[in-house]
Amino acid sequence: MSLAHLLPVLLLVASNLFMTMAWYGHLRFPGAPLWAVVFISWGIALVEYWLAVPANRLGHRVYSAAELKTLQEVITLVVFAGFSAFWLKEPLTLNHAVGFGFIALGAFFIFRGPFG
């Protein structure tokens, strides 16, 4: 895998870490005022944009838009699964695994599917 293929993936992973924290990190602090949570989340999301936009700009040189979106969705689910288990202490179930498996099957068809 070339750097041109790998760099967008790494940037998307980093951006998803920030966005997941922005959207869901505050759930561990239900007593925090909503206005404060919104402003803090907005600041975290700004970092996410600084990573996601270059990821897509650079990635579109070697991936189609559909492939980039598929990468982003798969990365989002992987990041979120880890985040919900480790940060939110919510268990992952067999239903989650089956659902993620179907999404992985969809990603297979986007990247390597038999229908030209």
Side-chain angles (χ1 to χ4, degrees):
M1 180 175 269
S2 71
L3 184 60
H5 287 86
L6 186 59
L7 186 57
V9 173
L10 296 175
L11 288 169
L12 286 172
V13 169
S15 75
N16 272 280
L17 289 168
F18 279 96
M19 190 52 96
T20 301
M21 183 58 79
W23 284 3
Y24 302 102
H26 61 88
L27 296 178
R28 260 180 78 178
F29 308 101
L34 185 57
W35 67 267
V37 169
V38 169
F39 278 111
I40 291 167
S41 293
W42 180 81
I44 295 168
L46 180 62
V47 176
E48 184 271 342
Y49 273 81
W50 276 101
L51 294 166
V53 172
N56 287 306
R57 176 67 64 99
L58 295 170
H60 198 247
R61 295 177 184 168
V62 293
Y63 297 110
S64 71
E67 289 172 335
L68 281 168
K69 183 60 178 171
T70 302
L71 279 169
Q72 190 270 332
E73 294 299 335
V74 170
I75 290 167
T76 296
L77 285 173
V78 171
V79 167
F80 183 78
F83 180 86
S84 65
F86 293 108
W87 181 257
L88 298 176
K89 309 292 188 220
E90 294 182 357
L92 295 174
T93 68
L94 182 57
N95 287 336
H96 294 114
V98 170
F100 293 166
F102 280 119
I103 292 167
L105 183 62
F108 165 78
F109 279 100
I110 295 291
F111 283 95
R112 302 278 185 238
F115 311 110

